Amino acid sequence: MTATLIWILVVLVAIGLYLSWTAGRLDRLHARIDAARAALDAQLLRRASVAQELATAGVLDPAASIVLYEAAHAARQSEEEQREVAESELSQALRAVFEDARQVEAVREAPGGEEAARELTEAVRKVPMARRFHNDAVGAARRLREHRKVRWFRLAGHAPFPLAFEMDDEPPAALVDRAA
């Protein structure tokens, strides 16, 4: 009888340790999501800031400046619920303004334009990577949260269900081709 109780106790402790390890893993994934979201927000803000700075620098034609400035301003000022749409619209505005390589060359020829074009190129190339890291972390957390043991024992606690950040982040071809 004592041996049976000891084995039951050992099994219960092992199950408890496993559930504790799983809860810790889930907590680490949520922390990774938070860090990836902060990095994504920083890259999106950097892209919008560089686009807004370029739009007000006077190196683009007036129509392109207005389109780019309004899209960048909307992306920077958008509420969380509208953020994906606003960022997608900024991507579309960047592609519209810089669809022609001559526009990029015009920016590069202006005083300080080489650095501005380089900053914009870096910004539009880093956004897809940051979004991919964030969405990969979200996917890993979602897969773990879908397991029965996580749901049954409520190992996620009160943490909100992680959501991917879906947006159009395709960079302008003229900027990417030039950088490659």
Side-chain angles (χ1 to χ4, degrees), residues 61-79:
D61 63 85
S65 292
I66 290 171
V67 167
L68 194 56
Y69 180 84
E70 287 181 353
H73 181 72
R76 289 182 71 180
Q77 301 299 319
S78 65
E79 296 293 323

Side-chain angles (χ1 to χ4, degrees), residues 32-33 36-37 39-40 43-44 124-140 143 164-167 169-171:
R32 187 172 133 203
I33 289 170
R37 180 59 189 244
L40 175 61
Q43 290 303 323
L44 292 171
V124 300
R125 293 178 87 193
K126 288 182 179 180
V127 165
M129 287 186 289
R131 189 175 74 86
R132 193 172 318 120
F133 287 136
H134 175 265
N135 288 349
D136 287 348
V138 166
R143 284 188 297 278
F165 194 86
E166 297 301 331
M167 65 171 270
D169 60 4
E170 183 180 337

